[in-house]
Amino acid sequence: MSSESTTAFKPGLEGVPVAESAISFIDGKRARLEYRGIAVEVLAEESCFEETAWLLLKGKLPTQKELADFDHELRHHRRLKYKLLDLIKCLPETGHPMGALQAAVAAMGMFYPARDVANPKTQWESAIRLISKMPTIVAAFHRLRHGDEAIPPRDDLDHAANFYYMLFEREPSPSVRKVMDACLILHAEHTMNASTFSSRVTASTLAEPYAVVSSAIGTLMGPLHGGANEEVLDMLSEIGSVENVRPWLEKAVATKRKIMGFGHRVYKVKDPRATVLQKLAEYVFSETGTPLSYRIAVELERAAADVLGPKGIYPNVDFYSGIVYHALGIPKDLFTPIFAISRVAGWLAHWLEQLKNNRIYRPEQIYVGERDVPYIPIEKRT
Ligand code: SDX
């Protein structure tokens, strides 16, 4: 068979199914997102990140004993090898935390070799280590880059509270813990987004899980994907006031500038996660007071509805997430790493699903270059 493709090229694989998956479902017209069939709004309200991670990995909600055992394992695998901590100490303080996370996760594969990816024990141990240690890596880099000692994890705190504790060396209030936990649930999985597709491509070569997740982290770093949440805050401070929203938007649309936190390949209405995150923001602001950035964001959403709404461009998950994290006192360049410590549950679920019925990804191309070109000796080249 010639290497030419027999089907039309679809930029960005738009509309092209690349897997059969039972992990999550999106209805982009009805703003519906389900993890293993359960609506994400219900999980954000009723569940916790640990339970949601189990649901994604195992395909069903855990029993009380299953959840207790899983929670126990996660709590007892949070610590890092001292050499991994030393590696993080050697990274440049000015580097982006996503780079530190990707480097440390890739290095984890050297401490915990997992070449037998078909072995259920290897799979489970790797999943536990990645979910439990990634928050520790993010918090450790953040502390070390400011010249402070990394704060050891506490086994008596749940996943969300412990991450907050390792960042700030104080426990979150019950409402901050609830918001943090809900944010981790909301970011955990989202069908075939770019970083999940990366994880499946890497998984399909039977690469080790740490390579699978570090591939996905690199993909999530991009501002068109996970990196948008950080850019949204810069955009809102550039707008500067509620009064400047409409003039700013007019100029942005006229210059075809991408509005960060808006638009989605699948959602042609407001992302259901943005709706929940907006409610979480208002819940936090009832305690802290409403920041200007939120008032600008609400006005921008209102103004953009008239201009971009007809094109199906509405707020996505990144539009309000940064505002919530900022209100929790989290530095801007940690927003995407928080996305990653949540989405690792989805990436791992897709890793396991890919292995169940694997075929290495090797798509086609349409060749548009020259053929049969002669080799010209260098002295004869003009
Ligand atoms: C995430 O895929 C996922 O599920 C991702 C995610 C997840 O949970 O994993 O949901 C997380 O990545 C959310 C998206 C975060 N990124 C941003 O907020 C960056 C800004 N958004 C855009 O770059 C864009 O909307 C994308 C990348 C999200 C989606 O891009 P598409 O589907 O490839 O659409 P496109 O770039 O081809 O745009 C189609 C049209 C264009 O106009 P025309 O040239 O046809 O006139 O819509 C316009 C675009 O200019 N458009 C926008 C816009 N997004 C699309 N115009 C202004 N602002 C925007 N944000």
Side-chain angles (χ1 to χ4, degrees), residues 44-47 173-183 283:
E45 183 60 38
E46 306 293 340
S47 187
S173 68
S175 56
V176 168
R177 191 215 67 80
K178 175 66 191 156
V179 169
M180 193 74 235
D181 189 47
C183 287
Y283 174 62

Side-chain angles (χ1 to χ4, degrees), residues 190 193-194 223-226 228 256-265 271 273 308 311 313 316-318 339 343:
H190 208 243
N193 58 86
L224 291 188
H225 187 17
K256 287 188 85 61
R257 176 175 172 175
K258 286 276 181 9
I259 319 292
M260 290 291 117
F262 275 77
H264 202 277
R265 179 65 59 80
D271 186 326
R273 299 167 296 175
L308 298 171
K311 293 175 78 174
I313 300 167
N316 59 47
V317 67
D318 289 307
F339 196 145
R343 186 56 57 88

Side-chain angles (χ1 to χ4, degrees), residues 105-255:
V105 165
M108 271 178 77
M110 301 171 78
F111 291 94
Y112 308 106
R115 295 194 70 76
D116 181 9
V117 294
N119 180 329
K121 185 172 176 297
T122 305
Q123 292 173 354
W124 191 243
E125 281 173 356
S126 306
I128 291 282
R129 285 192 173 115
L130 281 156
I131 295 172
S132 56
K133 292 182 195 300
M134 280 172 63
T136 313
I137 292 168
V138 172
F141 177 73
H142 175 62
R143 296 278 300 179
L144 291 164
R145 70 174 171 174
H146 288 124
D148 300 320
E149 277 301 312
I151 298 169
R154 276 178 47 183
D155 301 348
D156 61 325
L157 298 175
D158 69 18
H159 202 74
N162 175 63
F163 176 61
Y164 187 93
Y165 172 77
M166 292 190 295
L167 280 182
F168 302 116
E169 204 167 15
R170 65 176 186 278
E171 292 180 35
S173 68
S175 56
V176 168
R177 191 215 67 80
K178 175 66 191 156
V179 169
M180 193 74 235
D181 189 47
C183 287
L184 293 177
I185 291 169
L186 290 167
H187 286 83
E189 161 64 14
H190 208 243
T191 74
M192 205 50 66
N193 58 86
S195 55
T196 295
F197 182 46
S198 271
S199 70
R200 289 198 77 132
V201 171
T202 309
S204 76
T205 69
L206 304 186
E208 298 190 30
Y210 304 97
V212 169
V213 171
S214 58
S215 288
I217 293 168
T219 308
L220 186 70
M221 210 186 284
L224 291 188
H225 187 17
N229 53 17
E230 193 177 330
E231 310 260 335
V232 167
L233 274 203
D234 294 340
M235 179 184 75
L236 297 173
S237 54
E238 179 192 321
I239 294 172
S241 70
V242 172
E243 298 68 31
N244 189 36
V245 165
R246 288 183 186 271
W248 182 91
L249 182 61
E250 262 164 51
K251 185 161 175 276
V253 170
T255 53

